[in-house]
Amino acid sequence: MEYKALGNTGLLVSQLCLGTMTMGSGSGVYSHIGDVGQADANNLIKVALEAGINFFDTADVYSSGESEKTLGHALKDLGILRKDIVLATKFYSRIGPGRNDVGASRKHIMDAIESSLKNLQTDYIDLYQIHANDVLTPTDEILRTLDDLVTQGKVRYIGCSNWQAWKLAQSLGISGLKNTVRFESLQAYYSLAGRDLEREIVPLLENEKLGLLVWSPLAGGLLSGKFSRENQKPEGSRRTTFDFPIVDKERAWNILDVIFPIAEKYDCSAARVALAWLLSKPVVTSVIVGAKRAEQLQDNIAATELKLTDEEIKQLDAISELPAEYPGWMLATQGADRLGEVDLWSNRS
């Protein structure tokens, strides 16, 4: 297991992070994702720790708080020293019927942190993340509140999830101007079947030294190996009943057509190849993997040992390449002339 610094900090996190969305009762929408009980959760966390994973991610909304509770109990049951793990959770989503039981207002954040600390049976959260973009709360209010939590010692670092590039850039500007704690990471969807964040978000992360935590690295199981052009709705698969995240299916089948021969060459799962591709990307800090069974988690962990050749990465890059989009194609065209004289229009009709 390799480790990387989280954003522009000295905090080292494992290249794989165990996501705990599958843990708990699986209530509501999470019934499609998993209902891993305490004993099985303890075993999954034990497998992760033995492999060198020190990073664990959850959220207050997963199974109505039961994911946090299950993770907290597991760490106690296994006798894990708090200092030996990096614990991340998230706030924003609705956790009650009240008008302020959702969002990122100062009131909700202050209520949410106390609930998460109680559920996780801990005094502090290593990485506290806003789970979504709040269209009502000013960014300054969010940052001021999170800065107070860091000052109080309840939170060590802060991050966000599913934010637009412009808003993340705005937040960094506010943090610098008002001397508040800044976001150190973005948790975002990224996979061979979904590379949209490469357009605007990846350049921002690289320029500002922010960490990237990847959720749904297998596109909701689409790249696991269970799915194919010939078997588009395998029985018992989560994505068969819960078609998320949004994916261009025809493009995905083409990608799988390239993944399968590589997996056959290494005698491994398609999932392992898809994860190894992500781990080869310098912008990726940690890939969040979730599992219901120990064998599934062990297969994901094995991706850290699979080193794809440059040619294999080129093949996967090419088949999953994003379609040209403005202003990207214009920037590339005009930028070509910057390092040497180029006839920009010679091959254009």
Side-chain angles (χ1 to χ4, degrees):
M1 188 64 60
E2 295 180 7
Y3 302 84
K4 285 187 175 183
L6 180 74
N8 195 31
T9 79
L11 179 69
L12 294 176
V13 296
S14 48
Q15 62 187 136
L16 291 185
C17 170
L18 181 61
T20 64
M21 190 188 290
T22 60
M23 298 179 186
S25 65
S27 60
V29 69
Y30 298 98
S31 64
H32 299 281
I33 297 166
D35 56 355
V36 175
Q38 192 64 60
D40 289 334
N42 288 9
N43 187 45
L44 288 171
I45 290 168
K46 184 172 182 291
V47 169
L49 289 165
E50 289 173 348
I53 291 175
N54 74 340
F55 194 15
F56 298 86
D57 179 76
T58 185
D60 60 3
V61 71
Y62 296 162
S63 291
S64 302
E66 289 191 27
S67 171
E68 285 186 332
K69 291 176 183 177
T70 302
L71 176 57
H73 278 296
L75 298 175
K76 296 292 183 182
D77 292 345
L78 296 170
I80 307 304
L81 295 179
R82 182 65 183 84
K83 69 179 184 63
D84 290 338
I85 63 164
V86 177
L87 195 55
T89 191
K90 301 182 283 292
F91 68 92
Y92 170 88
S93 301
R94 181 168 291 284
I95 56 173
R99 289 290 185 182
N100 291 303
D101 288 337
V102 63
S105 66
R106 184 176 186 87
K107 174 175 173 52
H108 182 65
I109 294 175
M110 290 299 192
D111 290 341
I113 187 66
E114 296 303 330
S115 178
S116 289
L117 291 173
K118 181 179 178 181
N119 288 344
L120 290 162
Q121 301 183 52
T122 185
D123 296 326
Y124 66 96
I125 304 299
D126 292 295
L127 177 63
Y128 200 41
Q129 306 157 99
I130 176 171
H131 209 161
N133 172 36
D134 188 332
V135 298
L136 293 179
T137 308
T139 305
D140 178 62
E141 179 179 343
I142 297 170
L143 293 170
R144 285 288 186 190
T145 306
L146 293 174
D147 189 71
D148 286 345
L149 293 182
V150 172
T151 300
Q152 293 168 13
K154 295 178 179 179
V155 169
R156 300 286 169 86
Y157 303 94
I158 65 169
C160 61
S161 180
N162 304 318
W163 272 32
Q164 313 97 306
W166 73 264
K167 188 159 186 178
L168 187 48
Q170 178 198 58
S171 79
L172 296 174
I174 292 172
S175 293
L177 180 65
K178 301 197 174 181
N179 196 30
T180 62
V181 65
R182 76 166 204 159
F183 291 127
E184 292 296 347
S185 62
L186 171 72
Q187 189 172 138
Y189 167 56
Y190 189 28
S191 77
L192 269 167
R195 296 174 56 182
D196 306 76
L197 83 171
E198 292 178 3
R199 297 193 190 279
E200 297 287 345
I201 293 175
V202 165
L204 171 65
L205 299 180
E206 292 174 331
N207 188 67
E208 299 297 333
K209 296 183 178 179
L210 267 69
L212 174 60
L213 312 179
V214 176
W215 63 261
S216 204
L218 301 179
L222 197 64
L223 305 178
S224 65
K226 297 178 184 177
F227 292 80
S228 68
R229 194 185 305 273
E230 296 72 30
N231 187 19
Q232 298 188 14
K233 291 187 177 183
E235 187 176 350
S237 175
R238 179 180 88 194
R239 182 140 198 156
T240 298
T241 57
F242 186 58
D243 198 14
F244 182 84
I246 296 170
V247 170
D248 180 335
K249 298 290 177 56
E250 186 57 36
R251 189 161 165 268
W253 307 142
N254 293 336
I255 292 168
L256 283 165
D257 287 343
V258 175
I259 288 178
F260 285 135
I262 296 174
E264 185 176 357
K265 170 188 171 182
Y266 290 105
D267 190 24
C268 70
S269 67
R272 216 181 289 184
V273 175
L275 291 173
W277 177 85
L278 272 173
L279 291 170
S280 74
K281 301 303 177 184
V283 71
V284 173
T285 304
S286 189
V287 175
I288 302 171
V289 294
K292 297 179 183 178
R293 304 179 309 279
E295 320 81 84
Q296 182 185 4
L297 178 57
Q298 288 164 337
D299 184 70
N300 288 172
I301 291 170
T304 62
E305 301 171 359
L306 176 58
K307 304 301 179 186
L308 301 174
T309 66
D310 291 343
E311 181 57 33
E312 288 161 349
I313 291 173
K314 285 180 182 178
Q315 290 175 20
L316 292 168
D317 283 345
I319 195 63
S320 63
E321 185 178 12
L322 292 170
E325 185 178 273
Y326 181 84
W329 56 260
M330 193 62 184
L331 295 174
T333 298
Q334 294 179 317
D337 192 43
R338 190 64 178 86
L339 296 176
E341 189 173 341
V342 175
D343 182 354
L344 298 180
W345 315 108
S346 59
N347 295 318
R348 299 179 184 276
S349 57

